Amino acid sequence: MNKDSRIYIAGHTGLVGSALLRILNQAGYHQIITRTDQELDLTSMGQVQAFFEKEKPEYVFCAAGRVGGIMANKTYPADFIYTNLQIQNNLIHQSYVSGVKRLMYFGSSCIYPKLSEQPIKESYLLTGPLEETNEAYAVAKIAGVKMCESYNRQYGTQFVVAIPNNLYGMNDNFHPENSHVVAALLRRFHEAKKEARDEVVLWGTGTPRREFLYVDDFAKACLFLIDNYEENRPIHLGWGSDISIRELAEVIKEVVGFSGQIEFDSNKPDGMPKKLLDSSRIHQMGWKPETSLQQGLQTTYSWFLKQFNA
């Protein structure tokens, strides 16, 4: 991409999309195209087709979709599979029809088997049963991965699939029930501190291990890949090490300044026992994350406080 390229970010108000917008603006790209949900319904093929014909984007980042944590995935599986399939089908197909130079599609670490060997390699896709609680979302994301690979093979497109692990940062969804683990814990500990509670009760056993990547680091990696990655297979973007949910809770408790106890409700589901991506391929290409977990959590919590107080 050059600074004059016409770049469309689908989902520019979300966690990933807003980070891409922020990093692109900082880098001096000045023809960035965005639309809100009210301005463009990405589940409508007709609207997406008309948009592409009018705006003629050269590069497309597919950051739009329905996402959420364990509770949201268990409660709304039909919404997760339908909405995500519709959005990605429209964006990928219209990018092909319109002759987009490059498209970047975002997978998810939940697309891998529940009991995957660790660290997870890209080749482990479709080698075993999925984790039950997010199966609908995972199936949709797998379809998007295979759609990009298939269009590349049949039509010679250059659609890149990037797979991050757990992302967090500014503009995350802090909904009390439908958010991912970092945002959910930041809000829960903040409210417990504000209400001077003695304890915070968290779902599961606290033993599952997760890998976390600050979303601005992820956005920078995406810009690196859009110019440097040529292979027709997914590539992982991860930090390179993981921590347990119990350890994460202790770090967030410190960042927020909560002084009470942490308890775990083992009657609630844990999700996959471990999700650590093998990101050696992009690390060997020269990209490495810059933001430590402590630093990223502090930045995210500061942003949350401004929004919460407003």
Side-chain angles (χ1 to χ4, degrees):
M1 295 190 305
N2 59 57
K3 297 300 189 288
D4 296 322
S5 296
R6 294 182 61 77
I7 304 166
Y8 170 46
I9 304 175
H12 72 285
T13 61
L15 175 64
V16 171
S18 64
L20 285 166
L21 181 60
R22 190 161 54 246
I23 298 303
L24 284 166
N25 280 329
Q26 289 172 5
Y29 293 89
H30 58 88
Q31 292 208 72
I32 304 173
I33 306 163
T34 60
R35 291 291 187 278
T36 64
D37 292 345
Q38 291 72 36
E39 294 169 323
L40 174 62
D41 179 5
L42 291 174
T43 66
S44 166
M45 176 62 85
Q47 288 191 34
V48 174
Q49 180 180 352
F51 166 77
F52 272 77
E53 290 174 351
K54 178 183 178 183
E55 296 296 339
K56 298 179 173 55
E58 299 172 87
Y59 296 86
V60 174
F61 291 91
C62 299
R66 179 150 188 166
V67 298
I70 290 178
M71 185 172 183
N73 274 273
K74 283 173 61 68
T75 308
Y76 309 109
D79 293 344
F80 273 87
I81 194 167
Y82 176 81
T83 302
N84 287 301
L85 283 172
Q86 290 290 98
I87 289 173
Q88 64 200 35
N89 286 350
N90 292 340
L91 289 172
I92 293 168
H93 184 70
Q94 286 305 317
S95 291
Y96 153 66
V97 170
S98 301
V100 165
K101 292 179 180 178
R102 302 208 90 184
L103 169 144
M104 180 165 281
Y105 174 80
F106 302 119
S108 165
S109 59
C110 73
I111 66 177
Y112 293 104
K114 177 178 182 178
L115 301 178
S116 250
E117 183 180 339
Q118 304 286 324
I120 302 171
K121 297 181 183 294
E122 291 90 344
S123 59
Y124 296 169
L125 184 63
L126 297 176
T127 59
L130 298 167
E131 209 288 318
E132 298 85 356
T133 57
N134 57 25
E135 183 181 67
Y137 177 74
V139 167
K141 301 305 286 185
I142 292 169
V145 171
K146 292 303 178 182
M147 191 171 182
C148 288
E149 292 179 350
S150 300
Y151 274 60
N152 288 344
R153 285 200 305 270
Q154 183 171 340
Y155 299 123
T157 50
Q158 295 189 51
F159 297 163
V160 178
V161 176
I163 301 180
N165 219 316
N166 296 67
L167 298 173
Y168 69 97
M170 295 182 287
N171 282 307
D172 206 342
N173 172 20
F174 288 85
H175 189 280
E177 296 177 349
N178 297 335
S179 55
H180 283 118
V181 61
V182 168
L185 293 186
L186 280 170
R187 176 167 182 156
R188 192 163 299 179
F189 280 112
H190 172 78
E191 291 179 342
K193 175 186 174 182
K194 187 176 179 182
E195 296 166 7
R197 279 187 261 149
D198 295 330
E199 68 175 16
V200 168
V201 179
L202 305 179
W203 274 31
T205 62
T207 59
R209 300 187 68 84
R210 295 291 183 266
E211 175 185 24
F212 297 96
L213 182 65
Y214 186 58
V215 72
D216 282 36
D217 284 348
F218 176 69
K220 292 173 184 176
C222 292
L223 300 196
F224 175 80
L225 286 176
I226 205 78
D227 289 331
N228 295 286
Y229 190 65
E230 303 292 339
E231 298 182 49
N232 186 23
R233 56 172 175 153
I235 185 166
H236 288 164
L237 304 182
W239 177 264
S241 62
D242 60 6
I243 65 171
S244 71
I245 297 301
R246 183 180 296 274
E247 291 169 323
L248 173 68
E250 292 290 349
V251 177
I252 292 179
K253 172 184 172 180
E254 180 183 345
V255 167
V256 173
F258 175 67
S259 58
Q261 299 298 312
I262 301 174
E263 300 293 336
F264 286 88
D265 181 357
S266 59
N267 293 316
K268 296 294 192 297
D270 271 332
M272 288 178 68
K274 184 178 175 73
K275 282 199 298 183
L276 175 62
L277 297 181
D278 180 348
S279 300
S280 58
R281 291 169 60 218
I282 191 169
H283 293 172
Q284 290 166 5
M285 290 174 66
W287 174 85
K288 294 286 180 64
E290 304 169 353
T291 310
S292 70
L293 181 61
Q294 184 87 20
Q295 179 185 353
L297 289 172
Q298 288 173 341
T299 303
T300 304
Y301 183 53
S302 296
W303 180 88
F304 168 78
L305 286 176
K306 293 176 183 177
Q307 308 304 310
F308 193 89
N309 291 332

